[in-house]
RNA sequence: GGUCGGAUGGCCGAGAGGCGAGGCAAGGGACUGCAAAUCCCUCUACACGGGUUCAAAUCCCGUUCCGACCUCCA
């Protein structure tokens, strides 16, 4: 088996993945700031890194996957004012919305999902360490700043020069040693939530939590740090500054997923072009939305359109339909198998689109085998496809996607439909096609689709998208 | 101004010096009472101008256009 190579934003190259500790992988993914319902750009990140995690797990690694929840920041406080609700109620409401969206898309829950507000102690410890090492300073107004000039590696991830940066406008300039210094901690303002610290009451700055929580759950050094492309600067640069100034080796590799765009532009709430996950799930199933989001390479922009989503869903149903029929013919669900082609593609920086070409090939072979009745090929194709879908998080047999209704109901329905199909078969035998078509049309009107196959008629519930 | 990414067929979307990924759509065919499903066949491409090379979508130089980041961002 080929070995895994992954792209690294720091070096801008793809290189062999070697874990710090054999057999173990630690991943820290920047999660959501819970201040609005998730749009598909947010969950693309979740899906992309979920595929990475599943592939690492499939490859035999024991993966510790951390995805944080930022439950305190300016936007949440603003939102709380707008919604006339406590900030913590707003944060919890949207945290649940994110959890629901991740669950609908079969994104596995992180190993640990720490909230910023639950790690104030670790943040204070980190700040104390940074001040002690002379990397940060508390000017006395309640703020704590990081001295960016003290760290030579600052801005190496985004490859910018300090002098090219515009000064930050988020705090009182008169207290900063350098206008580019950023706030680790912000002094309390009247009416805002605050926590006590040796430097006065306040709340965390925008970047401190990730350094503190990564250290708490993954240690001073870990394998992969992920997030969206837009986090490279300032968020990830500042995380590096905080953690390296504290003496930690921090992330060995940086991975960033690209955007979902609409009309060529980044999806964002401020542009008014964002598409909420909950809305899209009214038109396609979660497994279909996941298939769509996961099918593009994680470093490529994904230009969203309803047509593309719809086509993608259709393509997925073809695959799903094959697996269903294969299961009917074989009498049991396929056993997931990882093919060499799939493995090679995934090992090449998660080349999902290339892997998909392999799935298409297996699908064609499998469908032909159904026609010819070659059970061995049906089985091998189905096994290979299911193995691939499992890693992509789109396994239709996964209980996460189980449809409601239950086996009893399906069994009863099957009995009723078989009665109708017997009537239709009798009509066809006596060449009374008007009667047989009437039965088929009648079932179609109820949402039951009848297909005549080489193995006899089969039925399925039509999946009509509501538009 | 600084940093970075992109432009591939009707559409989506890979590839990164030599065999035209794949899907969707379209057209033809097989199968079928019809339909659906399935299979087979066909079609079409690398933004523009130079250069390097036996060979360029791929490397180099230049140009145009689009987008991202530069302290809210997945």
């Amino acid at each position: 088996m080929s070995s895994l190579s992954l792209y690294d934003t720091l070096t801008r190259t793809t290189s062999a993945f070697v874990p710090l500790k054999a057999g173990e992988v630690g991943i820290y993914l920047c999660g959501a700031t819970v201040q609005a319902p998730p749009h598909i750009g947010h969950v693309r990140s979740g899906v992309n890194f979920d595929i990475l995690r599943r592939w690492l797990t499939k490859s035999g690694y024991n993966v510790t996957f951390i995805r944080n929840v930022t439950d305190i920041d300016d936007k949440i406080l603003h939102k709380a004012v707008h919604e006339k609700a406590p900030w913590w109620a707003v944060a919890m409401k949207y945290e649940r919305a994110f959890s629901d969206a991740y669950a609908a898309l079969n994104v596995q829950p992180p190993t640990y999902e720490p909230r910023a507000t639950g790690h104030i102690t670790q943040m204070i410890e980190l700040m104390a360490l940074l001040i002690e090492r002379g990397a940060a300073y508390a000017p006395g107004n309640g703020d704590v700043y990081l001295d960016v000039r003290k760290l030579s590696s600052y801005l190496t991830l985004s490859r910018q020069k300090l002098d090219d940066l515009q000064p930050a406008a988020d705090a009182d300039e008169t207290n900063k040693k350098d206008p580019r210094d950023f706030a680790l901690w912000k002094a309390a303002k009247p009416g805002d939530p605050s926590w006590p610290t040796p430097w006065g009451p306040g709340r965390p700055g925008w970047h401190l939590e990730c350094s503190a929580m990564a250290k708490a759950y993954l240690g001073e050094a870990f394998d992969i740090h992920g997030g969206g492309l837009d986090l490279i600067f300032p968020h990830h640069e500042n995380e590096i500054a905080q953690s390296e100034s504290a003496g930690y080796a921090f992330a060995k590799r940086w991975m960033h997923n690209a955007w979902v765009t609409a009309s060529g532009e980044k999806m964002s709430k401020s542009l008014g072009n964002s598409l909420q996950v909950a809305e899209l799930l009214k038109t396609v199933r979660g497994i279909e939305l996941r298939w769509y989001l996961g099918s593009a390479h994680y470093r490529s922009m994904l230009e969203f359109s309803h047509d593309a989503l719809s086509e993608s869903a259709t393509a997925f149903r073809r695959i799903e339909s094959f697996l269903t029929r294969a299961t009917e013919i074989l009498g049991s669900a396929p056993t997931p198998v990882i093919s060499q082609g799939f493995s090679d593609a995934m090992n090449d920086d998660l080349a999902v689109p290339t892997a998909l070409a392999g799935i298409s090939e297996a699908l064609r072979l499998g469908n032909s085998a159904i026609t010819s009745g070659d059970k061995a090929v049906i089985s091998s194709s189905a096994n290979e496809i299911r193995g691939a879908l499992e890693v992509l998080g789109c396994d239709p047999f996964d209980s996460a996607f189980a449809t409601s209704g239950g086996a009893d109901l399906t069994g009863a329905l099957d009995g009723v439909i078989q009665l109708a199909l017997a009537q239709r078969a009798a009509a066809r035998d006596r060449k009374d096609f008007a009667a047989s078509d009437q039965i088929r049309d009648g079932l179609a009107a109820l949402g039951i689709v009848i297909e005549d196959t080489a193995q006899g008629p089969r039925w399925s519930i039509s999946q009509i998208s509501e538009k």
Side-chain angles (χ1 to χ4, degrees):
Chain A
M1 194 163 113
S2 59
S3 61
L4 177 62
S5 288
L6 293 171
Y7 186 80
D8 183 1
T9 306
L10 188 62
T11 62
R12 311 283 162 92
T13 56
T14 302
S15 58
F17 173 73
V18 181
L20 291 168
K21 187 178 171 192
E24 306 277 335
V25 182
I27 302 178
Y28 188 97
L29 173 64
C30 285
T33 298
V34 284
Q35 49 94 19
H39 61 61
I40 55 170
H42 294 124
V43 291
R44 181 189 186 188
S45 180
V47 167
N48 285 158
F49 283 96
D50 189 53
I51 291 172
L52 169 65
R53 178 192 188 178
R54 285 170 187 261
W55 182 238
L56 286 167
T57 302
K58 196 73 176 180
S59 302
Y61 292 107
N62 181 28
V63 181
T64 302
F65 190 94
I66 309 299
R67 188 186 61 218
N68 68 298
V69 174
T70 301
D71 60 348
I72 179 73
D73 94 329
D74 288 343
K75 286 188 135 184
I76 293 171
L77 298 178
H78 291 151
K79 196 84 175 192
V81 172
H82 266 85
E83 299 192 359
K84 296 184 170 63
W87 64 272
W88 41 265
V90 169
M92 180 51 74
K93 178 170 112 181
Y94 293 117
E95 182 182 330
R96 287 209 170 118
F98 270 85
S99 294
D100 290 348
Y102 287 133
L105 296 188
N106 197 23
V107 174
Q108 293 179 333
T111 313
Y112 308 111
E113 189 169 12
R115 297 191 187 104
T117 54
H119 298 77
I120 302 293
T121 305
Q122 289 86 343
M123 294 186 212
I124 291 171
E125 285 169 1
L126 179 56
M127 282 192 285
L129 178 61
L130 288 169
I131 290 172
E132 181 191 316
R133 291 173 66 98
Y137 57 97
N141 65 340
D143 288 347
V144 180
Y145 298 110
L146 191 101
D147 193 341
V148 296
R149 293 201 177 273
K150 289 280 175 64
L151 188 73
S152 60
S153 64
Y154 192 53
L155 303 182
T156 49
L157 185 65
S158 60
R159 302 196 173 182
Q160 298 179 96
K161 293 183 186 124
L162 192 60
D163 292 335
D164 293 334
L165 291 187
Q166 299 299 311
D170 68 308
D172 184 0
E173 298 295 316
T174 59
N175 289 302
K176 290 187 177 181
K177 289 184 183 173
D178 185 290
R180 267 95 29 157
D181 290 349
F182 62 89
L184 299 174
W185 194 260
K186 297 181 163 196
K189 289 178 197 156
D192 280 356
S194 68
W195 289 260
T197 77
W199 313 282
R203 61 188 174 84
W206 300 320
H207 316 292
L208 189 63
E209 56 170 296
C210 288
S211 287
M213 296 191 291
K215 162 70 164 50
Y217 294 94
L218 296 172
E220 295 186 4
F222 56 95
D223 298 292
I224 298 171
H225 192 129
L229 214 47
D230 53 349
L231 295 181
I232 294 174
F233 185 88
H235 185 58
H236 289 163
E237 290 287 13
N238 290 354
E239 279 186 54
I240 292 171
Q242 292 162 354
S243 294
E244 292 193 359
S245 294
Y248 306 152
F250 207 49
K252 192 176 177 193
R253 180 182 296 268
W254 290 85
M255 295 178 69
H256 293 94
N257 66 278
W259 308 124
V260 178
T261 58
S263 305
E265 292 185 316
K266 170 184 172 183
M267 190 161 292
S268 99
K269 201 162 172 267
S270 55
L271 285 173
N273 62 355
S274 66
L275 286 151
Q276 291 183 10
V277 175
E279 287 303 306
L280 289 173
L281 288 177
K282 291 175 182 170
T283 67
V284 294
R285 295 175 298 154
I287 196 171
E288 292 163 352
L289 182 56
R290 180 178 174 119
W291 178 258
Y292 174 69
L293 292 174
S295 60
H297 188 93
Y298 75 92
R299 287 194 283 119
S300 295
M301 284 196 309
L302 178 62
E303 168 69 16
F304 178 85
S305 78
H306 286 286
D307 286 348
L309 174 60
S310 171
E311 282 178 10
S312 176
T314 303
F316 180 75
R317 284 185 209 129
R318 263 189 91 217
I319 297 167
E320 194 177 25
S321 168
F322 165 69
L323 289 181
T324 305
R325 296 170 72 166
T327 302
E328 287 169 6
I329 292 165
L330 299 170
S332 63
T335 307
V337 168
I338 300 299
S339 70
Q340 187 65 51
F342 183 79
S343 178
D344 288 346
M346 293 302 283
N347 278 336
D348 181 16
D349 193 32
L350 308 178
V352 175
T354 304
L356 259 39
I359 292 179
S360 293
E361 170 76 6
L363 179 64
R364 198 168 49 75
L365 283 174
N367 274 322
S368 294
I370 285 181
T371 304
S372 66
D374 185 341
K375 287 194 179 182
V377 174
I378 295 172
S379 178
S380 64
S381 298
N383 290 350
E384 180 182 329
I385 290 171
R386 189 178 177 199
L389 293 192
E390 193 178 56
V391 171
L392 298 176
C394 291
D395 178 7
F397 299 96
D398 191 320
S399 59
F401 293 120
T403 50
S404 58
D408 290 350
L409 194 57
T410 304
L413 183 59
D414 183 58
V416 173
I417 293 170
Q418 291 304 334
L419 281 176
L421 288 179
Q423 296 287 313
R424 176 167 173 267
R428 293 179 76 200
D429 283 345
R430 63 178 184 268
K431 307 254 185 249
D432 184 357
F433 297 120
S436 75
D437 287 350
Q438 193 182 358
I439 291 169
R440 185 171 63 195
D441 293 345
L443 287 170
L446 298 171
I448 310 291
V449 180
I450 302 303
E451 294 168 19
D452 293 316
T453 72
Q455 288 79 32
R458 66 186 295 272
W459 66 272
S460 59
I461 299 194
S462 68
Q463 283 150 358
I464 301 163
S465 61
E466 305 161 25
K467 284 223 168 172

